[in-house]
Amino acid sequence: MDAMVADDLEFYHDQTGLSVGKALFIAAIKQNICGKVERTIVPGSLAVYPLKGYGAVEIGVHRFRHPAHPEEGVGEAKFVTLWRNKDGAWQVTRAISYDHEPLTK
């Protein structure tokens, strides 16, 4: 994942605010996601559009569940991710995760 994230990443989260830099983002993923929840894309929600001279924008809805209890709902949120294609390498430069809502069982 490290290679996919730009050093100057800006990550905006509706509950935790702005985080700047790859190191903070990777640390937050390790602390809050890895081994704790699974993130999946809600089928039919993903859309990707080219951004001329830059890369692409990806939008969709992601769902979070506990790996040990996949039958239990955790939540869903919307996301926007900006991808930069530089010299054939794709990296996330900006990400927004918002509208977090709990799932109903």
Side-chain angles (χ1 to χ4, degrees):
M1 182 173 188
D2 189 69
M4 294 173 46
V5 177
D7 290 335
D8 62 345
L9 170 76
E10 290 181 6
F11 179 63
Y12 300 85
H13 192 282
D14 63 348
Q15 296 178 0
T16 60
L18 172 62
S19 173
V20 178
K22 179 194 302 196
L24 287 175
F25 178 75
I26 298 292
I29 295 294
K30 287 179 180 178
Q31 180 181 349
N32 300 311
I33 302 294
C34 293
K36 297 180 181 175
V37 296
E38 293 175 344
R39 175 187 177 265
T40 58
I41 305 299
V42 173
S45 73
L46 185 64
V48 180
Y49 303 95
L51 295 173
K52 186 175 181 171
Y54 188 78
V57 59
E58 173 186 34
I59 60 173
V61 178
H62 46 197
R63 182 171 294 147
F64 300 90
R65 295 188 180 276
H66 291 289
H69 306 284
E71 72 284 355
E72 293 180 17
V74 174
E76 285 186 358
K78 296 177 178 92
F79 67 90
V80 177
T81 306
L82 291 181
W83 290 88
R84 176 180 61 208
N85 184 341
K86 185 175 180 183
D87 301 324
W90 287 91
Q91 286 190 317
V92 175
T93 57
R94 305 292 180 264
I96 305 169
S97 186
Y98 64 100
D99 196 28
H100 287 77
E101 294 290 336
L103 285 177
T104 56
K105 292 184 184 179

XYZ file of all heavy atoms in Angstrom:
821
model
N 0.826 -1.195 0.000
C 0.000 0.000 0.000
C 0.869 1.257 0.000
O 0.463 2.278 -0.542
C -0.917 -0.027 1.208
C -1.834 1.134 1.287
S -3.009 0.924 2.617
C -4.033 2.286 2.298
N 2.041 1.157 0.585
C 2.930 2.302 0.701
C 3.216 2.949 -0.656
O 3.203 4.176 -0.782
C 4.235 1.864 1.370
C 5.121 3.027 1.716
O 4.755 3.799 2.622
O 6.169 3.177 1.063
N 3.439 2.133 -1.688
C 3.762 2.658 -3.011
C 2.563 3.340 -3.668
O 2.736 4.164 -4.563
C 4.274 1.535 -3.912
N 1.362 3.019 -3.227
C 0.149 3.573 -3.822
C -0.260 4.920 -3.232
O -1.211 5.536 -3.697
C -1.015 2.592 -3.649
C -0.848 1.316 -4.418
S -2.129 0.090 -4.060
C -3.616 1.037 -4.124
N 0.443 5.369 -2.205
C 0.068 6.604 -1.504
C 1.163 7.653 -1.691
O 2.336 7.390 -1.437
C -0.155 6.328 0.003
C -0.481 7.599 0.749
C -1.243 5.286 0.194
N 0.778 8.841 -2.137
C 1.727 9.939 -2.316
C 2.227 10.441 -0.967
O 1.489 10.434 0.029
C 1.067 11.077 -3.085
N 3.473 10.875 -0.947
C 4.056 11.397 0.296
C 3.259 12.569 0.854
O 3.167 12.744 2.068
C 5.508 11.830 0.074
C 6.443 10.652 -0.148
O 6.136 9.528 0.309
O 7.493 10.856 -0.792
N 2.680 13.384 -0.040
C 1.945 14.577 0.390
C 0.430 14.355 0.404
O -0.345 15.299 0.264
C 2.298 15.767 -0.493
C 1.907 15.559 -1.959
O 1.617 14.403 -2.356
O 1.902 16.543 -2.714
N 0.002 13.125 0.616
C -1.426 12.799 0.657
C -2.178 13.727 1.610
O -1.697 14.037 2.704
C -1.626 11.359 1.141
C -3.074 10.961 1.454
C -3.848 10.719 0.175
C -3.127 9.762 2.351
N -3.359 14.152 1.184
C -4.301 14.844 2.066
C -5.513 13.938 2.201
O -6.136 13.581 1.202
C -4.721 16.191 1.483
C -3.621 17.220 1.488
C -4.068 18.565 0.934
O -5.276 18.743 0.652
O -3.199 19.434 0.773
N -5.828 13.548 3.437
C -6.958 12.668 3.707
C -7.952 13.413 4.590
O -7.625 13.835 5.697
C -6.490 11.387 4.408
C -7.598 10.437 4.749
C -8.368 9.857 3.755
C -7.878 10.125 6.067
C -9.396 8.976 4.067
C -8.898 9.250 6.388
C -9.660 8.677 5.390
N -9.151 13.593 4.059
C -10.211 14.306 4.756
C -11.240 13.293 5.233
O -11.735 12.489 4.451
C -10.888 15.313 3.815
C -9.956 16.350 3.260
C -9.191 16.091 2.128
C -9.837 17.583 3.878
C -8.330 17.050 1.617
C -8.979 18.551 3.363
C -8.228 18.268 2.233
O -7.376 19.228 1.731
N -11.562 13.325 6.512
C -12.503 12.372 7.109
C -13.535 13.165 7.900
O -13.177 14.059 8.671
C -11.742 11.422 8.032
C -12.519 10.242 8.474
N -13.467 10.306 9.458
C -12.481 8.953 8.063
C -13.977 9.110 9.647
N -13.405 8.264 8.806
N -14.802 12.838 7.695
C -15.857 13.624 8.343
C -15.833 13.533 9.861
O -16.346 14.414 10.536
C -17.239 13.256 7.796
C -17.650 11.827 8.052
O -16.812 10.997 8.463
O -18.839 11.514 7.826
N -15.216 12.499 10.420
C -15.212 12.346 11.879
C -13.883 12.705 12.526
O -13.838 13.043 13.711
C -15.610 10.915 12.247
C -17.026 10.595 11.832
C -17.424 9.170 12.135
O -16.662 8.366 12.656
N -18.658 8.834 11.792
N -12.794 12.623 11.768
C -11.486 12.900 12.360
C -10.786 14.107 11.749
O -9.734 14.506 12.240
C -10.563 11.668 12.256
O -10.383 11.332 10.877
C -11.139 10.482 13.008
N -11.345 14.667 10.694
C -10.774 15.871 10.100
C -9.687 15.579 9.089
O -9.646 14.522 8.471
N -8.779 16.524 8.929
C -7.726 16.460 7.924
C -6.473 15.808 8.486
O -6.022 16.129 9.588
C -7.389 17.876 7.438
C -6.177 18.024 6.518
C -6.376 17.260 5.214
C -5.907 19.496 6.261
N -5.911 14.907 7.686
C -4.622 14.284 7.987
C -3.741 14.497 6.764
O -4.161 14.218 5.640
C -4.817 12.789 8.258
O -3.577 12.140 8.391
N -2.523 14.999 6.962
C -1.626 15.281 5.850
C -0.387 14.406 5.954
O 0.240 14.331 7.008
C -1.217 16.773 5.826
C -0.244 17.049 4.690
C -2.447 17.667 5.705
N -0.061 13.740 4.854
C 1.153 12.939 4.777
C 0.892 11.441 4.776
O -0.056 10.943 5.376
N 1.752 10.751 4.049
C 1.650 9.302 3.923
C 1.805 8.601 5.276
O 1.049 7.692 5.601
C 2.719 8.786 2.974
C 2.696 7.279 2.802
C 3.919 6.687 2.141
C 4.198 7.231 0.805
N 5.139 6.416 0.013
N 2.774 9.009 6.065
C 3.062 8.324 7.328
C 1.849 8.323 8.264
O 1.526 7.287 8.857
C 4.267 8.953 8.012
N 1.185 9.465 8.394
C 0.004 9.531 9.267
C -1.122 8.643 8.743
O -1.801 7.961 9.509
C -0.493 10.968 9.395
C 0.342 11.897 10.249
C -0.217 13.315 10.182
C 0.372 11.410 11.686
N -1.313 8.640 7.421
C -2.365 7.833 6.806
C -2.103 6.343 7.022
O -2.988 5.608 7.464
C -2.461 8.155 5.317
C -3.472 7.338 4.586
C -4.830 7.598 4.732
C -3.084 6.315 3.745
C -5.786 6.847 4.054
C -4.016 5.563 3.063
C -5.366 5.826 3.212
N -0.886 5.900 6.744
C -0.540 4.481 6.916
C -0.681 4.078 8.384
O -1.221 3.013 8.697
C 0.880 4.195 6.392
C 0.980 4.488 4.892
C 1.310 2.772 6.715
C 0.204 3.571 3.992
N -0.245 4.929 9.295
C -0.374 4.631 10.728
C -1.836 4.510 11.137
O -2.208 3.620 11.906
C 0.326 5.709 11.558
N -2.697 5.389 10.612
C -4.129 5.336 10.938
C -4.770 4.066 10.391
O -5.608 3.455 11.058
C -4.839 6.574 10.385
N -4.384 3.655 9.192
C -4.908 2.409 8.619
C -4.512 1.233 9.506
O -5.337 0.378 9.843
C -4.392 2.202 7.172
C -4.934 3.282 6.244
C -4.716 0.811 6.654
C -6.415 3.258 6.013
N -3.240 1.183 9.894
C -2.763 0.091 10.752
C -3.493 0.077 12.092
O -3.851 -0.980 12.600
C -1.255 0.208 10.984
C -0.434 -0.149 9.772
C 1.054 0.008 10.047
C 1.880 -0.340 8.833
N 3.317 -0.135 9.072
N -3.722 1.247 12.669
C -4.345 1.340 13.986
C -5.846 1.085 13.953
O -6.394 0.460 14.850
C -4.079 2.715 14.597
C -4.696 2.887 15.957
C -4.440 4.267 16.544
O -3.632 5.029 16.033
N -5.119 4.578 17.623
N -6.529 1.565 12.909
C -7.995 1.547 12.924
C -8.649 0.534 11.996
O -9.828 0.231 12.170
C -8.509 2.941 12.560
C -8.031 3.989 13.532
O -8.139 3.818 14.730
N -7.480 5.064 13.016
N -7.929 0.041 11.003
C -8.535 -0.827 10.003
C -7.967 -2.249 10.045
O -8.714 -3.217 10.159
C -8.378 -0.230 8.579
C -9.004 1.162 8.496
C -8.958 -1.168 7.530
C -10.507 1.206 8.661
N -6.656 -2.373 9.931
C -6.011 -3.689 9.823
C -6.382 -4.610 10.988
O -6.169 -4.273 12.154
C -4.497 -3.540 9.764
S -3.916 -2.735 8.268
N -6.956 -5.760 10.647
C -7.327 -6.747 11.648
C -8.562 -6.397 12.454
O -8.983 -7.169 13.311
N -9.147 -5.232 12.197
C -10.308 -4.797 12.965
C -11.577 -4.784 12.126
O -12.627 -5.189 12.594
C -10.062 -3.418 13.572
C -8.919 -3.441 14.564
C -8.666 -2.091 15.158
C -7.485 -2.225 16.119
N -7.063 -0.994 16.659
N -11.484 -4.269 10.916
C -12.642 -4.236 10.032
C -12.203 -4.560 8.610
O -11.037 -4.411 8.256
C -13.367 -2.869 10.034
C -13.948 -2.547 11.388
C -12.458 -1.760 9.580
N -13.159 -5.020 7.820
C -12.943 -5.228 6.395
C -13.664 -4.110 5.653
O -14.782 -3.743 6.007
C -13.523 -6.563 5.945
C -12.813 -7.748 6.522
C -13.492 -9.063 6.158
O -14.666 -9.055 5.725
O -12.841 -10.105 6.328
N -13.026 -3.593 4.640
C -13.612 -2.534 3.817
C -13.918 -3.138 2.454
O -13.035 -3.705 1.819
C -12.639 -1.380 3.673
C -13.104 -0.274 2.750
C -11.980 0.744 2.552
N -12.352 1.781 1.632
C -12.079 1.786 0.337
N -11.424 0.791 -0.208
N -12.451 2.781 -0.432
N -15.163 -3.026 2.024
C -15.556 -3.501 0.707
C -16.338 -2.400 -0.007
O -16.942 -1.539 0.642
C -16.426 -4.773 0.775
O -17.595 -4.501 1.557
C -15.663 -5.934 1.401
N -16.324 -2.446 -1.313
C -17.086 -1.501 -2.119
C -18.517 -2.006 -2.237
O -18.750 -3.180 -2.509
C -16.467 -1.363 -3.528
C -14.993 -0.970 -3.438
C -17.266 -0.379 -4.378
C -14.723 0.342 -2.765
N -19.478 -1.142 -2.027
C -20.880 -1.502 -2.214
C -21.096 -1.739 -3.711
O -20.793 -0.851 -4.527
C -21.809 -0.395 -1.681
C -23.255 -0.683 -2.026
C -21.631 -0.243 -0.172
N -21.569 -2.932 -4.080
C -21.753 -3.238 -5.503
C -22.594 -2.170 -6.213
O -23.607 -1.709 -5.692
C -22.476 -4.589 -5.491
C -22.067 -5.211 -4.190
C -21.953 -4.056 -3.220
N -22.135 -1.782 -7.388
C -22.839 -0.793 -8.194
C -22.552 0.652 -7.839
O -23.040 1.566 -8.501
N -21.753 0.892 -6.792
C -21.525 2.266 -6.348
C -20.243 2.880 -6.904
O -20.078 4.096 -6.866
C -21.484 2.340 -4.816
O -20.276 1.789 -4.312
N -19.348 2.087 -7.421
C -18.040 2.585 -7.844
C -18.097 3.209 -9.235
O -18.652 2.631 -10.170
C -17.020 1.446 -7.845
C -15.580 1.848 -8.160
C -15.046 2.768 -7.073
C -14.715 0.615 -8.300
N -17.518 4.400 -9.352
C -17.386 5.073 -10.641
C -16.009 5.722 -10.698
O -15.524 6.267 -9.701
C -18.478 6.130 -10.815
N -15.374 5.638 -11.858
C -14.042 6.221 -12.053
C -14.077 7.057 -13.322
O -14.589 6.609 -14.353
C -12.962 5.116 -12.163
C -11.587 5.729 -12.376
C -12.970 4.223 -10.922
N -13.534 8.276 -13.228
C -13.535 9.192 -14.358
C -12.127 9.738 -14.570
O -11.439 10.084 -13.603
C -14.485 10.370 -14.093
C -15.884 9.930 -13.808
C -16.331 9.770 -12.501
C -16.771 9.657 -14.848
C -17.627 9.346 -12.231
C -18.075 9.241 -14.585
C -18.489 9.088 -13.279
O -19.769 8.672 -13.014
N -11.698 9.848 -15.827
C -10.361 10.389 -16.092
C -10.289 11.885 -15.807
O -11.281 12.602 -15.941
C -10.164 10.114 -17.590
C -11.533 9.973 -18.152
C -12.407 9.463 -17.042
N -9.123 12.317 -15.391
C -8.820 13.741 -15.205
C -7.641 14.057 -16.116
O -6.499 13.677 -15.814
C -8.466 14.047 -13.749
C -9.564 13.862 -12.715
C -9.011 14.048 -11.303
C -10.706 14.820 -12.975
N -7.907 14.695 -17.220
C -6.899 14.938 -18.246
C -5.645 15.598 -17.670
O -5.717 16.571 -16.930
C -7.478 15.820 -19.346
C -6.544 15.997 -20.516
C -7.200 16.761 -21.628
C -6.219 16.877 -22.793
N -6.875 17.420 -23.964
N -4.524 15.017 -17.993
C -3.245 15.560 -17.558
C -2.899 15.279 -16.112
O -1.863 15.725 -15.624
N -3.752 14.548 -15.408
C -3.484 14.269 -13.992
C -3.610 12.786 -13.666
O -2.690 12.172 -13.174
C -4.421 15.074 -13.090
C -4.039 14.956 -11.639
C -2.974 15.691 -11.131
C -4.719 14.101 -10.785
C -2.596 15.569 -9.797
C -4.345 13.978 -9.454
C -3.286 14.712 -8.966
O -2.907 14.583 -7.655
N -4.784 12.224 -13.887
C -5.022 10.835 -13.507
C -6.493 10.502 -13.562
O -7.100 10.500 -14.627
N -7.087 10.296 -12.388
C -8.492 9.901 -12.344
C -9.099 10.249 -10.987
O -8.393 10.416 -9.995
C -8.634 8.407 -12.598
N -10.423 10.343 -10.983
C -11.178 10.493 -9.742
C -12.049 9.254 -9.588
O -12.665 8.795 -10.550
C -12.016 11.801 -9.709
C -13.014 11.861 -10.851
C -12.706 11.964 -8.367
N -12.057 8.717 -8.393
C -12.827 7.510 -8.059
C -13.837 7.887 -6.977
O -13.479 8.526 -5.987
C -11.852 6.450 -7.536
C -12.452 5.197 -6.998
C -11.403 4.293 -6.372
O -10.419 4.800 -5.771
O -11.568 3.080 -6.474
N -15.092 7.522 -7.188
C -16.122 7.797 -6.185
C -16.919 6.531 -5.930
O -17.008 5.657 -6.789
C -17.064 8.950 -6.616
C -17.778 8.594 -7.918
C -16.316 10.251 -6.736
C -18.848 9.592 -8.322
N -17.465 6.432 -4.741
C -18.275 5.269 -4.430
C -18.700 5.246 -2.980
O -18.581 6.241 -2.256
N -19.185 4.094 -2.582
C -19.611 3.856 -1.198
C -18.853 2.628 -0.711
O -18.788 1.610 -1.404
C -21.137 3.619 -1.122
C -21.562 3.329 0.314
C -21.899 4.813 -1.675
N -18.264 2.750 0.479
C -17.603 1.590 1.058
C -18.324 1.159 2.317
O -18.961 1.945 3.009
C -16.109 1.791 1.287
C -15.688 3.079 1.921
N -14.401 3.513 1.859
C -16.346 4.026 2.617
C -14.274 4.661 2.496
N -15.440 4.991 2.974
N -18.254 -0.149 2.561
C -18.914 -0.772 3.715
C -17.828 -1.375 4.598
O -16.865 -1.947 4.122
C -19.857 -1.872 3.218
C -20.633 -2.555 4.323
C -21.691 -3.475 3.746
N -22.700 -2.664 3.059
C -23.369 -3.062 1.974
N -23.153 -4.249 1.445
N -24.269 -2.261 1.426
N -18.031 -1.243 5.889
C -17.096 -1.779 6.861
C -17.793 -2.852 7.689
O -18.932 -2.672 8.114
C -16.605 -0.657 7.791
C -15.906 0.446 7.053
C -16.606 1.539 6.570
C -14.549 0.384 6.829
C -15.976 2.560 5.884
C -13.894 1.397 6.136
C -14.616 2.479 5.676
N -17.094 -3.972 7.905
C -17.616 -5.075 8.715
C -16.485 -5.655 9.552
O -15.330 -5.576 9.178
C -18.187 -6.180 7.830
C -19.398 -5.774 7.032
C -20.003 -7.003 6.332
N -21.167 -6.643 5.558
C -22.403 -6.520 6.042
N -22.623 -6.731 7.314
N -23.408 -6.194 5.271
N -16.851 -6.279 10.671
C -15.878 -6.981 11.495
C -15.568 -8.332 10.868
O -16.484 -9.110 10.612
C -16.426 -7.213 12.910
C -16.573 -5.960 13.707
N -15.487 -5.271 14.181
C -17.670 -5.269 14.100
C -15.915 -4.207 14.844
N -17.229 -4.178 14.802
N -14.287 -8.667 10.618
C -13.944 -9.954 10.012
C -14.424 -11.152 10.838
O -14.845 -12.163 10.283
C -12.426 -9.950 9.930
C -12.006 -8.545 10.116
C -13.112 -7.842 10.854
N -14.376 -11.043 12.152
C -14.776 -12.157 13.010
C -16.286 -12.329 13.051
O -16.783 -13.403 13.396
C -14.233 -11.952 14.420
N -17.022 -11.268 12.714
C -18.490 -11.302 12.760
C -19.064 -10.617 11.520
O -19.686 -9.552 11.630
C -19.003 -10.610 14.027
C -18.407 -11.154 15.278
N -18.800 -12.347 15.823
C -17.428 -10.674 16.081
C -18.089 -12.574 16.913
N -17.251 -11.580 17.085
N -18.881 -11.214 10.328
C -19.322 -10.542 9.098
C -20.827 -10.320 9.019
O -21.284 -9.463 8.272
C -18.846 -11.483 7.993
C -18.633 -12.789 8.655
C -18.291 -12.510 10.076
N -21.577 -11.051 9.818
C -23.031 -10.872 9.802
C -23.459 -9.595 10.528
O -24.582 -9.124 10.376
C -23.725 -12.091 10.422
C -23.580 -12.221 11.934
C -22.218 -12.724 12.429
O -21.357 -13.086 11.603
O -22.015 -12.741 13.652
N -22.576 -9.036 11.318
C -22.889 -7.820 12.056
C -22.527 -6.593 11.220
O -21.417 -6.462 10.734
C -22.102 -7.769 13.368
C -22.507 -8.837 14.354
C -21.713 -8.740 15.634
O -21.097 -7.686 15.898
O -21.715 -9.731 16.378
N -23.465 -5.724 11.041
C -23.187 -4.505 10.294
C -22.353 -3.535 11.103
O -22.494 -3.450 12.319
N -21.444 -2.847 10.459
C -20.653 -1.821 11.117
C -21.047 -0.458 10.572
O -21.523 0.386 11.302
C -19.138 -2.061 10.918
C -18.338 -0.903 11.481
C -18.732 -3.358 11.576
N -20.863 -0.254 9.263
C -21.240 1.033 8.715
C -20.890 1.179 7.256
O -20.209 0.343 6.672
N -21.383 2.258 6.699
C -21.083 2.618 5.327
C -20.701 4.085 5.285
O -21.098 4.859 6.145
C -22.296 2.413 4.413
C -22.580 0.987 4.078
C -23.702 0.846 3.057
O -24.306 1.847 2.625
O -23.964 -0.311 2.695
N -19.940 4.436 4.263
C -19.569 5.828 4.047
C -19.299 6.033 2.565
O -19.015 5.090 1.830
C -18.333 6.195 4.859
N -19.381 7.264 2.148
C -19.055 7.620 0.777
C -17.577 8.014 0.718
O -16.992 8.402 1.728
C -19.934 8.773 0.327
C -21.410 8.411 0.280
C -22.256 9.616 -0.098
C -23.712 9.233 -0.194
N -24.434 9.419 1.052
N -16.986 7.891 -0.470
C -15.592 8.292 -0.620
C -15.336 8.892 -1.993
O -16.034 8.611 -2.958
C -14.636 7.115 -0.373
C -14.718 6.035 -1.413
C -13.920 6.065 -2.543
C -15.600 4.985 -1.259
C -14.004 5.073 -3.500
C -15.695 3.980 -2.207
C -14.892 4.023 -3.335
N -14.333 9.754 -2.028
C -13.802 10.336 -3.254
C -12.289 10.190 -3.158
O -11.691 10.579 -2.147
C -14.163 11.830 -3.398
C -13.529 12.423 -4.648
C -15.660 12.043 -3.373
N -11.675 9.628 -4.185
C -10.226 9.444 -4.194
C -9.662 10.030 -5.483
O -10.162 9.725 -6.566
C -9.865 7.944 -4.112
O -10.501 7.364 -2.970
C -8.365 7.750 -3.998
N -8.643 10.884 -5.360
C -7.933 11.411 -6.520
C -6.668 10.597 -6.720
O -5.859 10.451 -5.788
C -7.567 12.879 -6.331
C -8.715 13.868 -6.334
C -8.183 15.289 -6.166
C -9.533 13.769 -7.602
N -6.524 10.061 -7.921
C -5.366 9.265 -8.301
C -4.528 10.060 -9.288
O -5.047 10.575 -10.273
C -5.811 7.972 -8.965
C -6.451 6.996 -8.053
C -7.777 6.917 -7.720
C -5.802 5.943 -7.362
N -7.985 5.874 -6.863
C -6.791 5.256 -6.622
C -4.477 5.506 -7.283
C -6.492 4.163 -5.822
C -4.188 4.413 -6.491
C -5.183 3.746 -5.767
N -3.225 10.135 -9.039
C -2.293 10.781 -9.953
C -1.530 9.689 -10.705
O -1.038 8.735 -10.095
C -1.312 11.654 -9.185
C -0.245 12.297 -10.074
C 0.706 13.151 -9.279
N 1.394 12.325 -8.286
C 1.850 12.797 -7.123
N 1.690 14.053 -6.797
N 2.460 11.997 -6.279
N -1.439 9.857 -12.022
C -0.628 8.949 -12.833
C 0.597 9.726 -13.273
O 0.515 10.608 -14.124
C -1.416 8.455 -14.039
C -0.644 7.431 -14.840
O 0.562 7.320 -14.730
N -1.353 6.682 -15.649
N 1.722 9.394 -12.670
C 2.970 10.082 -12.985
C 3.985 9.056 -13.443
O 4.328 8.143 -12.680
C 3.492 10.839 -11.754
C 4.700 11.677 -12.020
C 5.084 12.475 -10.794
C 6.301 13.332 -11.048
N 6.697 14.042 -9.834
N 4.402 9.180 -14.677
C 5.377 8.251 -15.260
C 4.915 6.807 -15.155
O 5.712 5.908 -14.892
C 6.752 8.428 -14.593
C 7.303 9.839 -14.745
O 7.071 10.449 -15.811
O 7.936 10.333 -13.803
N 3.611 6.589 -15.321
C 3.054 5.241 -15.303
C 2.766 4.685 -13.923
O 2.269 3.569 -13.796
N 3.060 5.442 -12.881
C 2.790 4.992 -11.506
C 1.559 5.719 -10.972
O 1.488 6.953 -11.016
C 3.994 5.267 -10.606
N 0.601 4.976 -10.469
C -0.626 5.537 -9.905
C -0.467 5.701 -8.402
O -0.053 4.768 -7.716
C -1.803 4.618 -10.198
C -2.231 4.647 -11.629
C -1.791 3.833 -12.618
C -3.167 5.541 -12.210
N -2.395 4.165 -13.806
C -3.257 5.209 -13.581
C -3.940 6.592 -11.728
C -4.089 5.886 -14.458
C -4.771 7.264 -12.602
C -4.847 6.914 -13.954
N -0.806 6.887 -7.895
C -0.772 7.148 -6.462
C -1.983 7.964 -6.041
O -2.431 8.852 -6.766
C 0.490 7.920 -6.060
C 1.753 7.101 -6.072
C 2.889 7.882 -5.436
O 3.062 9.076 -5.677
N 3.673 7.198 -4.621
N -2.458 7.672 -4.835
C -3.526 8.453 -4.219
C -2.906 9.739 -3.691
O -1.930 9.699 -2.935
C -4.199 7.683 -3.069
C -5.223 8.553 -2.356
C -4.820 6.397 -3.569
N -3.484 10.880 -4.105
C -2.973 12.164 -3.641
C -3.952 12.876 -2.710
O -3.539 13.640 -1.843
C -2.667 13.100 -4.825
O -3.850 13.273 -5.604
C -1.554 12.514 -5.684
N -5.236 12.634 -2.897
C -6.268 13.218 -2.052
C -7.346 12.175 -1.848
O -7.711 11.452 -2.781
C -6.910 14.462 -2.690
C -5.945 15.560 -3.095
C -5.297 16.237 -1.889
N -4.366 17.281 -2.287
C -3.054 17.105 -2.412
N -2.511 15.919 -2.220
N -2.275 18.110 -2.756
N -7.872 12.107 -0.641
C -8.957 11.174 -0.350
C -9.919 11.834 0.624
O -9.495 12.548 1.542
C -8.416 9.876 0.244
N -11.204 11.597 0.394
C -12.253 12.120 1.262
C -13.160 10.954 1.623
O -13.631 10.227 0.749
C -13.083 13.217 0.561
C -12.182 14.334 0.030
C -14.145 13.772 1.506
C -12.893 15.307 -0.902
N -13.383 10.756 2.902
C -14.302 9.726 3.382
C -15.328 10.442 4.262
O -14.972 11.085 5.249
C -13.535 8.665 4.190
O -14.368 7.593 4.548
N -16.611 10.340 3.883
C -17.624 11.163 4.547
C -18.968 10.456 4.596
O -19.148 9.399 3.995
C -17.760 12.505 3.814
C -18.262 12.378 2.393
C -19.598 12.614 2.084
C -17.416 11.986 1.368
C -20.068 12.484 0.785
C -17.871 11.863 0.065
C -19.196 12.107 -0.219
O -19.653 11.956 -1.504
N -19.896 11.048 5.312
C -21.256 10.536 5.464
C -21.267 9.142 6.086
O -22.004 8.260 5.658
C -21.990 10.549 4.111
C -23.504 10.413 4.276
O -24.028 10.826 5.336
O -24.155 9.888 3.361
N -20.433 8.961 7.112
C -20.403 7.677 7.818
C -21.710 7.448 8.565
O -22.147 8.312 9.321
C -19.237 7.634 8.811
C -17.906 7.487 8.144
N -17.277 8.536 7.533
C -17.118 6.397 7.991
C -16.133 8.105 7.024
N -16.010 6.815 7.291
N -22.303 6.317 8.309
C -23.574 5.947 8.941
C -23.508 4.489 9.381
O -22.947 3.655 8.675
C -24.738 6.101 7.939
C -24.992 7.531 7.511
C -25.580 8.391 8.597
O -26.219 7.847 9.543
O -25.420 9.625 8.538
N -24.082 4.149 10.519
C -24.118 2.729 10.918
C -25.077 1.957 10.028
O -26.050 2.496 9.509
C -24.642 2.784 12.356
C -25.322 4.103 12.488
C -24.695 5.040 11.486
N -24.756 0.699 9.827
C -25.648 -0.193 9.085
C -26.731 -0.708 10.005
O -26.489 -0.919 11.189
C -24.878 -1.406 8.537
C -23.982 -1.187 7.351
C -23.253 -2.485 7.020
C -24.777 -0.728 6.156
N -27.882 -0.937 9.455
C -28.904 -1.621 10.228
C -28.754 -3.100 9.955
O -28.383 -3.513 8.861
C -30.322 -1.147 9.812
O -30.483 -1.352 8.410
C -30.501 0.315 10.145
N -29.008 -3.899 10.950
C -28.833 -5.354 10.796
C -29.960 -5.936 9.981
O -31.019 -5.454 9.873
C -28.781 -6.027 12.147
C -27.513 -5.653 12.896
C -27.459 -6.426 14.175
C -26.258 -5.996 14.993
N -26.155 -6.673 16.223
